[in-house]
Amino acid sequence: MQSPFEYMVKVENLVKRYGSNYALNDVSFEINEGEIVGLLGPNGAGKSTAMNILTGYLSATSGSAYIDGISMVEKPLEAKKLIGFLPEQPPVYPEMTVWEYLNFVYELKGCTLPRKEHIEEVMDVVKLGDVRDKLISHLSKGYKQRVGIAQAIMGDPKVVVFDEPTVGLDPKQILEVRNLLRTLGKRHTVILSTHILSEVQAVCERIIIINKGRIIADEKTEELTRAIEDTYRYEVRISGPQKDVLAALKKVNGVTGVERTDGRDADAQIYIVDTAKGIDIRKPLFYMCAEHGWPILGLSPFGTDLESIFVRLIDRSDIQMRPEGGNK
Amino acid sequence: MLAVYKKEMRSYFTTPIGYVFVAIFLLVGGAMFSYTTLYSMTSNMSAYFTYMMLMLIILLPILTMKSFTEEKKMRTEQLLLTSPVPITSIVLGKFLAAYTMFAGSFIFNSLYFLILYRYAEVKTGLLIGNILAMLLLGMSFIAIGLYISALTENQLAAAIGTIAVLLLLLGIGLINMLLPDKYWLRYVIDCISVFTRFQTFTNGYFDFASLIYYLSISGIFVYLTVRVYDKRRYS
C-alpha cells in the first residue's frame, strides 16, 4: 500500500451517513499532483458531500481524507491551508466590493504572499480588473462565479476544489470558466464536480463517476470516452422503401438486429441497428445504401446520453462487484 | 480572528444596521438620561441604569441577529469554515465586533454624566461600578444573542428569540418579589437571575461573584455557539 504522502489528495473509505441514508458509501480515490480530475454524477449522487468532506466543511462518519499527506481530521487547520474551495454557491458578501472581499479572504486565509501583488495577480487570472470597485451585489452571475474562483485560488493553494463551477452560467460564460479551469490546472491540482459529461471530457484528464454514494468508474478521460463511444447501437436515418431497407440492413456484415422505430425525419425512416462487438458497420452500411441509391440522412451512436452511460457503467460495476462476495 | 472582526465591523457600517443601532441607542439613551436625572432633578443614577438594561434587551439583539443567520443564508459560512481558522476565532471575532458596537455607543452615552457634575455631587465610584456592570451585562446578552443566531437561518427569528430569552432571564428575577422571604427557590433564582445580579451594582456594591457570573454566561454561550458549528459538521 502506498503511503498517503505520495499523492496530492487521498481519500480512504469515506462514509457519510445521514440516519440510515448513505450519502457516501466507502469512497476511495487518489489524485496525483497536477492532475485535473472531474467528479461526475447525477444530482444527489454524493459529489458535493465528498467535496465538503475533502475541504473540511463536513466531517465524515468514517474514513479519512489527506491533502498532501496531511490528515483533514487530525490537522484540519494545516490541511485547509493547502486547499481552496468554491462551493456550489459562491461564498461572497454582497455588501462588499470585489477588492474589499478579496482583501478579506487574503486576511482570513492568513496568506503570506506579498499582499497587493498577489491580489492583483489573482484578479488578473480570473479577469476581474474592470469590476474591482463594484459591489458584489451588482455583479452578474458570471462575475460572481469568477469572484468565487478568485477566492478559491487566493494564497496559491496546492489543491483547488470546484463544486459545479458552471451551473447557472450562460454558454459564453461556461466556455470562459472552462478555459479558466484548464489554465488553473497548470499550477494547481484541480478537482471539479459536474453532472455534464461533455464538461469533464472538455476539461479533465481523469474522470471519477459517482452514483448513489459509490464510485462506479475511475478512469482516464480517453479510456472512458472510448468505453462510451464503443457502442454497439446506432441510430440510422435512411430514405428508402422500408421493407427493402430493413431486409438489406440485416444482411450488412456485423449487424445482429434491426428495429424500425416510429420516428421519421423528412422522408426518411429511423432505424436502430444493433451490431456485433468489435465490428464497425458504418462503412459497409454506407456502401450498401449507396448501391441501392438510398440516401442516409443521419447516422449516430445511440444511447450516449449520461443516463444510458450510467446504466451501462452501473451494470458493469455490478458485474465486477459480484464475484467478490456480495458487496452490495 | 482579526479578519473576521474587521469584516464584521465593516459590515455594520456598510449596511444600515450599525447606523440604526447607534442612532437609536444615542437617542433613547439621551432621552432616558435627561428624564431620569436632569428632569427629575436628581443625581441618583439607578433609574437610568435600570432603564438602560431594559433598552439593551431590545437593542442588542439587533446587533447579533445577523451574525450567523446571514452567513448561513448566503452560504458564506462555507468560506469561513473551510479557511484555516478555528471556529472559536470566527465566533470570537463576531462577538468582539458586536461588543465594540455596544461598548462604544454605551461609553459615549455615559459621557452625559459629565453634565451632571456641573449641577450636583456625583458619586464617582458608584457611577464607574454601574458602567462596568452594564458593560458586563451587555457582554452576556451579546453572547446569548450570538448563540441564538447560530441556531436559525432567519434574522427575525434570531432577534425575537433573543429578546424572548433575555426577557425570561429578567422575568425570573421579578418572580422573586412574589416569593416569601426565606423560601429556598429564592436563593436559586437570586443566583441565576441576570436582574438580581445587576441590582447589587446599582445599589453601589462591587460584587466579585457577579463579575464572575457575567463572564461565565458570556463564556458558556460563546462555547455553545462553537459547539453548534462543531455538531453541524457531524450531523
Side-chain angles (χ1 to χ4, degrees), chain A residues 16-69:
Chain A
K16 180 72 180 177
R17 210 176 58 213
Y18 293 104
S20 61
N21 277 336
Y22 284 88
L24 285 182
N25 195 349
D26 199 19
V27 165
S28 305
F29 57 83
E30 293 97 20
I31 294 170
N32 292 314
E33 188 166 1
E35 266 188 308
I36 305 184
V37 176
L39 284 184
L40 179 67
N43 292 325
K47 297 176 305 231
S48 288
T49 310
M51 294 191 141
N52 281 330
I53 292 173
L54 190 61
T55 52
Y57 178 61
L58 290 178
S59 67
T61 309
S62 68
S64 44
Y66 298 90
I67 312 296
D68 201 14

Coordinates of all heavy atoms in Angstrom, one line a residue, chain A residues 16-69:
Chain A
K16 N -20.4 8.7 4.6 CA -21.1 9.7 5.3 C -22.6 9.3 5.3 O -23.2 8.9 4.3 CB -21.0 11.0 4.5 CG -21.8 12.2 5.1 CD -21.2 12.7 6.3 CE -22.0 13.9 6.9 NZ -21.3 14.3 8.2
R17 N -23.1 9.2 6.6 CA -24.4 8.6 6.8 C -25.3 9.7 7.4 O -24.9 10.3 8.3 CB -24.3 7.4 7.7 CG -25.3 6.3 7.4 CD -25.1 5.2 8.3 NE -25.1 5.6 9.7 CZ -24.4 5.0 10.7 NH1 -23.6 4.0 10.4 NH2 -24.5 5.4 11.9
Y18 N -26.5 9.8 6.8 CA -27.5 10.7 7.5 C -28.6 9.7 7.9 O -29.3 9.2 7.1 CB -28.0 11.7 6.5 CG -27.1 12.7 6.0 CD1 -26.5 12.7 4.8 CD2 -26.7 13.8 6.9 CE1 -25.6 13.6 4.4 CE2 -25.8 14.8 6.5 CZ -25.2 14.7 5.2 OH -24.3 15.6 4.8
G19 N -28.7 9.5 9.2 CA -29.6 8.5 9.7 C -29.3 7.1 9.0 O -28.2 6.6 9.2
S20 N -30.3 6.6 8.3 CA -30.0 5.3 7.6 C -29.6 5.5 6.2 O -29.4 4.5 5.4 CB -31.2 4.4 7.8 OG -32.3 5.0 7.1
N21 N -29.5 6.8 5.7 CA -29.2 7.0 4.3 C -27.7 7.2 4.2 O -27.0 7.9 4.9 CB -29.8 8.3 3.9 CG -31.2 8.1 3.4 OD1 -31.6 7.0 3.0 ND2 -32.0 9.1 3.5
Y22 N -27.1 6.5 3.2 CA -25.7 6.7 2.9 C -25.5 7.8 1.8 O -25.9 7.5 0.7 CB -25.1 5.4 2.5 CG -24.8 4.5 3.6 CD1 -25.8 3.6 4.1 CD2 -23.6 4.5 4.3 CE1 -25.6 2.8 5.1 CE2 -23.4 3.7 5.4 CZ -24.4 2.8 5.8 OH -24.1 2.0 6.8
A23 N -25.0 8.9 2.2 CA -24.7 9.9 1.1 C -23.4 9.5 0.4 O -23.2 9.7 -0.8 CB -24.5 11.3 1.7
L24 N -22.5 8.9 1.2 CA -21.2 8.4 0.6 C -21.0 7.0 1.2 O -21.2 6.8 2.4 CB -20.0 9.2 0.9 CG -19.8 10.5 0.2 CD1 -18.5 11.2 0.7 CD2 -19.8 10.3 -1.3
N25 N -20.7 6.1 0.4 CA -20.6 4.7 0.9 C -19.2 4.1 0.4 O -19.1 3.7 -0.7 CB -21.7 3.8 0.4 CG -21.9 2.6 1.1 OD1 -21.0 2.2 1.9 ND2 -23.0 1.8 0.9
D26 N -18.3 4.2 1.3 CA -17.0 3.6 1.1 C -16.3 4.1 -0.2 O -16.0 3.4 -1.2 CB -17.1 2.1 1.0 CG -15.8 1.4 1.1 OD1 -14.9 2.0 1.7 OD2 -15.7 0.2 0.7
V27 N -16.1 5.4 -0.2 CA -15.5 6.1 -1.4 C -14.0 6.2 -1.1 O -13.5 6.8 -0.1 CB -16.1 7.4 -1.6 CG1 -15.3 8.3 -2.6 CG2 -17.5 7.3 -2.2
S28 N -13.2 5.8 -2.1 CA -11.7 5.9 -2.0 C -11.2 6.4 -3.4 O -11.6 5.8 -4.4 CB -11.0 4.6 -1.6 OG -11.5 4.1 -0.5
F29 N -10.3 7.3 -3.4 CA -9.6 7.6 -4.6 C -8.3 8.4 -4.3 O -8.1 8.9 -3.2 CB -10.4 8.4 -5.6 CG -11.0 9.7 -5.1 CD1 -10.3 10.9 -5.1 CD2 -12.3 9.7 -4.6 CE1 -10.8 12.1 -4.7 CE2 -12.9 10.9 -4.1 CZ -12.1 12.1 -4.2
E30 N -7.4 8.4 -5.2 CA -6.2 9.2 -5.0 C -6.0 10.1 -6.2 O -6.4 9.7 -7.3 CB -4.9 8.2 -5.0 CG -4.9 7.3 -3.8 CD -5.4 6.0 -4.1 OE1 -5.5 5.6 -5.3 OE2 -5.8 5.2 -3.2
I31 N -5.4 11.2 -6.0 CA -5.1 12.2 -7.1 C -3.7 12.6 -7.0 O -3.2 13.0 -5.9 CB -6.1 13.4 -7.0 CG1 -7.5 12.9 -7.2 CG2 -5.7 14.4 -8.0 CD1 -8.6 13.9 -7.0
N32 N -3.0 12.5 -8.1 CA -1.6 13.0 -8.2 C -1.5 14.5 -8.3 O -2.4 15.1 -8.8 CB -0.9 12.3 -9.4 CG -0.8 10.8 -9.1 OD1 -0.4 10.3 -8.1 ND2 -1.2 10.0 -10.1
E33 N -0.3 14.9 -8.0 CA -0.1 16.4 -8.2 C -0.3 16.8 -9.6 O 0.2 16.1 -10.5 CB 1.3 16.7 -7.7 CG 1.6 18.2 -7.7 CD 2.8 18.5 -6.9 OE1 3.5 17.6 -6.4 OE2 3.1 19.7 -6.8
G34 N -0.9 17.9 -9.8 CA -1.1 18.5 -11.2 C -2.2 17.9 -12.0 O -2.4 18.3 -13.1
E35 N -2.9 16.9 -11.5 CA -4.0 16.3 -12.3 C -5.2 17.2 -12.3 O -5.5 18.0 -11.3 CB -4.4 15.0 -11.7 CG -3.7 13.8 -12.3 CD -4.3 12.5 -11.8 OE1 -4.4 12.3 -10.6 OE2 -4.6 11.7 -12.7
I36 N -6.0 17.2 -13.3 CA -7.3 17.8 -13.3 C -8.3 16.7 -13.3 O -8.4 15.9 -14.3 CB -7.6 18.7 -14.5 CG1 -6.5 19.7 -14.7 CG2 -8.9 19.4 -14.4 CD1 -6.7 20.7 -15.8
V37 N -9.1 16.5 -12.2 CA -10.0 15.4 -12.1 C -11.4 15.9 -12.0 O -11.7 16.8 -11.3 CB -9.6 14.5 -10.9 CG1 -10.6 13.4 -10.7 CG2 -8.2 14.0 -11.0
G38 N -12.3 15.2 -12.7 CA -13.7 15.5 -12.6 C -14.5 14.5 -11.9 O -14.3 13.3 -12.1
L39 N -15.3 15.0 -11.0 CA -16.3 14.1 -10.3 C -17.6 14.2 -11.0 O -18.2 15.3 -11.1 CB -16.5 14.5 -8.8 CG -15.4 14.2 -7.8 CD1 -15.9 14.6 -6.4 CD2 -15.1 12.8 -7.8
L40 N -18.0 13.1 -11.6 CA -19.2 13.2 -12.5 C -20.3 12.3 -11.8 O -20.0 11.3 -11.3 CB -18.8 12.7 -13.9 CG -19.9 12.6 -14.9 CD1 -20.4 14.0 -15.3 CD2 -19.4 11.9 -16.1
G41 N -21.5 12.9 -11.8 CA -22.6 12.1 -11.3 C -23.9 12.9 -11.4 O -23.8 14.1 -11.5
P42 N -25.0 12.2 -11.3 CA -26.3 12.9 -11.3 C -26.4 13.7 -10.0 O -25.7 13.5 -9.1 CB -27.3 11.8 -11.4 CG -26.6 10.5 -11.0 CD -25.2 10.7 -11.2
N43 N -27.4 14.6 -10.0 CA -27.7 15.3 -8.8 C -28.0 14.4 -7.7 O -28.7 13.4 -7.8 CB -28.8 16.3 -9.0 CG -28.4 17.4 -10.0 OD1 -27.3 17.8 -10.0 ND2 -29.3 17.8 -10.8
G44 N -27.4 14.7 -6.5 CA -27.7 13.8 -5.3 C -26.9 12.6 -5.3 O -27.1 11.7 -4.5
A45 N -25.8 12.5 -6.1 CA -25.0 11.3 -6.1 C -24.0 11.3 -5.0 O -23.5 10.2 -4.6 CB -24.3 11.2 -7.4
G46 N -23.7 12.4 -4.4 CA -22.7 12.5 -3.3 C -21.5 13.3 -3.7 O -20.5 13.3 -2.9
K47 N -21.5 14.0 -4.8 CA -20.4 14.8 -5.3 C -20.1 15.9 -4.3 O -19.0 16.0 -3.8 CB -20.6 15.4 -6.6 CG -20.8 14.4 -7.8 CD -21.1 15.2 -9.0 CE -22.3 16.0 -8.8 NZ -23.4 16.1 -9.7
S48 N -21.1 16.6 -4.0 CA -21.0 17.8 -3.1 C -20.5 17.3 -1.7 O -19.7 17.9 -1.0 CB -22.3 18.6 -2.9 OG -22.5 19.3 -4.1
T49 N -21.1 16.2 -1.2 CA -20.8 15.7 0.1 C -19.3 15.3 0.1 O -18.6 15.7 1.0 CB -21.6 14.4 0.4 OG1 -23.0 14.8 0.2 CG2 -21.4 14.0 1.8
A50 N -18.8 14.7 -0.9 CA -17.4 14.3 -1.0 C -16.5 15.5 -1.0 O -15.5 15.6 -0.2 CB -17.1 13.5 -2.3
M51 N -16.9 16.6 -1.7 CA -16.1 17.8 -1.7 C -16.1 18.5 -0.4 O -15.1 19.0 0.0 CB -16.6 18.7 -2.8 CG -16.4 18.0 -4.2 SD -16.7 19.2 -5.5 CE -15.4 18.8 -6.6
N52 N -17.3 18.5 0.2 CA -17.4 19.2 1.5 C -16.6 18.5 2.6 O -16.0 19.2 3.4 CB -18.9 19.3 2.0 CG -19.7 20.4 1.2 OD1 -19.1 21.4 0.9 ND2 -20.9 20.2 1.0
I53 N -16.5 17.2 2.5 CA -15.7 16.5 3.5 C -14.2 16.7 3.2 O -13.4 17.0 4.0 CB -16.0 15.0 3.4 CG1 -17.4 14.8 4.0 CG2 -15.0 14.2 4.2 CD1 -17.9 13.3 3.8
L54 N -13.9 16.7 1.9 CA -12.5 16.9 1.5 C -11.9 18.3 1.9 O -10.8 18.4 2.3 CB -12.4 16.8 -0.1 CG -11.0 16.7 -0.7 CD1 -10.3 15.5 -0.1 CD2 -11.1 16.6 -2.2
T55 N -12.8 19.3 1.9 CA -12.4 20.6 2.2 C -12.6 20.9 3.7 O -12.3 22.0 4.2 CB -13.2 21.7 1.4 OG1 -14.6 21.4 1.6 CG2 -12.8 21.6 0.0
G56 N -13.1 19.9 4.5 CA -13.2 20.1 5.9 C -14.5 20.9 6.4 O -14.6 21.2 7.5
Y57 N -15.4 21.1 5.4 CA -16.7 21.7 5.8 C -17.6 20.8 6.6 O -18.2 21.1 7.6 CB -17.4 22.3 4.6 CG -18.7 22.9 4.8 CD1 -18.8 24.0 5.7 CD2 -19.9 22.4 4.3 CE1 -20.0 24.6 5.9 CE2 -21.1 23.0 4.5 CZ -21.1 24.1 5.4 OH -22.3 24.7 5.6
L58 N -17.6 19.5 6.1 CA -18.4 18.5 6.8 C -17.3 17.5 7.4 O -16.2 17.4 6.9 CB -19.3 17.8 5.9 CG -20.5 18.5 5.4 CD1 -21.3 17.6 4.4 CD2 -21.4 18.9 6.5
S59 N -17.8 16.7 8.3 CA -16.9 15.6 8.7 C -17.5 14.3 8.3 O -18.7 14.2 8.3 CB -16.6 15.7 10.2 OG -17.7 15.4 10.9
A60 N -16.7 13.3 8.1 CA -17.2 12.1 7.6 C -17.6 11.2 8.8 O -17.2 11.4 9.9 CB -16.1 11.3 6.8
T61 N -18.6 10.3 8.5 CA -19.0 9.3 9.5 C -17.8 8.4 9.8 O -17.5 8.1 11.0 CB -20.2 8.5 9.0 OG1 -21.2 9.4 8.6 CG2 -20.7 7.6 10.2
S62 N -17.1 8.0 8.8 CA -15.8 7.3 9.0 C -15.0 7.4 7.7 O -15.5 7.9 6.7 CB -16.1 5.8 9.3 OG -16.6 5.2 8.1
G63 N -13.8 7.0 7.8 CA -12.8 7.2 6.7 C -12.0 8.4 6.9 O -12.2 9.2 7.8
S64 N -11.1 8.7 5.9 CA -10.2 9.8 6.1 C -9.8 10.4 4.8 O -9.9 9.8 3.7 CB -8.9 9.4 6.9 OG -8.5 8.1 6.3
A65 N -9.4 11.7 4.9 CA -9.0 12.4 3.7 C -7.7 13.1 4.0 O -7.5 13.6 5.1 CB -10.0 13.5 3.3
Y66 N -6.8 13.0 3.0 CA -5.4 13.6 3.2 C -5.2 14.6 2.1 O -5.4 14.3 0.9 CB -4.3 12.5 3.2 CG -4.4 11.5 4.3 CD1 -5.2 10.4 4.1 CD2 -3.8 11.7 5.5 CE1 -5.3 9.4 5.1 CE2 -3.9 10.8 6.5 CZ -4.6 9.6 6.3 OH -4.7 8.7 7.3
I67 N -4.6 15.7 2.4 CA -4.2 16.7 1.4 C -2.7 16.8 1.6 O -2.2 17.1 2.6 CB -4.8 18.1 1.7 CG1 -6.3 18.1 1.9 CG2 -4.4 19.0 0.5 CD1 -7.1 17.6 0.8
D68 N -2.0 16.4 0.5 CA -0.5 16.4 0.5 C 0.0 15.7 1.8 O 1.0 16.1 2.4 CB 0.0 17.8 0.5 CG 1.5 17.8 0.0 OD1 1.9 16.8 -0.6 OD2 2.1 18.8 0.1
G69 N -0.7 14.6 2.2 CA -0.2 13.8 3.3 C -0.7 14.3 4.7 O -0.4 13.6 5.7

